Amino acid sequence: MEILKRINELIIASNLTSRAFAIACGIKYTTLNNYLTGRRAVALDTVDLILKGFPNVSAEWLMRGDGPMYKSEITIQNDERINKLIATIGEMQSIVSEKQKAIDDLMAENEKLKNSK
């Protein structure tokens, strides 16, 4: 089961033994060991305990394998997207200002031509 691979990845990434990981999550070691050896399917309440024990772990990653392991990575990705959007908006505002100035200049020139007739 894929969730078992991710739990193992998390244990390794946390630099903990399986026993220490179980304690950190509030899971009985024998229960965790039964999951890791495939004797039992991982229960939803166990996933909840893992997420409570490691609040920076992404639930999407743990449960479905989507995205990065840690929420902070998601935050960094979102911050990068926001910064790119802000930069794009700034560029667009500059372009709009330039175009508006060109329109104003053309309108002034048009008005001069009308008045010179």
Side-chain angles (χ1 to χ4, degrees), residues 82-101:
I82 289 169
N83 289 338
K84 285 180 184 177
L85 286 171
I86 290 169
T88 301
I89 290 169
E91 290 172 19
M92 297 307 247
Q93 285 176 331
S94 178
I95 291 169
V96 168
S97 293
E98 289 173 17
K99 299 298 181 188
Q100 187 60 51
K101 183 175 179 343

Side-chain angles (χ1 to χ4, degrees), residues 5 12 28-29 37 41 43 52-55 65 67 70-71 84 91 107 111 117:
K5 288 181 183 178
I12 292 166
K28 291 182 182 178
Y29 173 70
T37 57
K52 286 178 182 171
F54 293 85
Y70 297 106
K71 290 179 188 177
K84 285 180 184 177
E91 290 172 19
M107 287 179 72
E111 198 58 39
K117 289 184 179 179

Side-chain angles (χ1 to χ4, degrees), residues 17-92:
T17 63
S18 298
R19 188 174 302 277
F21 181 82
I23 291 167
C25 297
I27 302 168
K28 291 182 182 178
Y29 173 70
T30 53
T31 302
L32 179 64
N33 193 41
N34 284 335
Y35 294 147
L36 296 176
T37 57
R39 285 183 234 144
R40 285 181 59 187
V42 178
L44 185 56
D45 60 335
T46 301
V47 172
D48 187 47
L49 288 171
I50 292 170
L51 292 171
K52 286 178 182 171
F54 293 85
N56 197 34
V57 170
S58 166
E60 283 291 312
W61 173 81
L62 183 60
M63 295 181 72
R64 300 186 338 185
D66 292 342
M69 181 185 293
Y70 297 106
K71 290 179 188 177
S72 60
E73 293 174 36
I74 295 169
T75 302
I76 290 167
Q77 289 172 353
N78 287 341
D79 287 350
E80 288 172 357
R81 287 183 188 151
I82 289 169
N83 289 338
K84 285 180 184 177
L85 286 171
I86 290 169
T88 301
I89 290 169
E91 290 172 19
M92 297 307 247

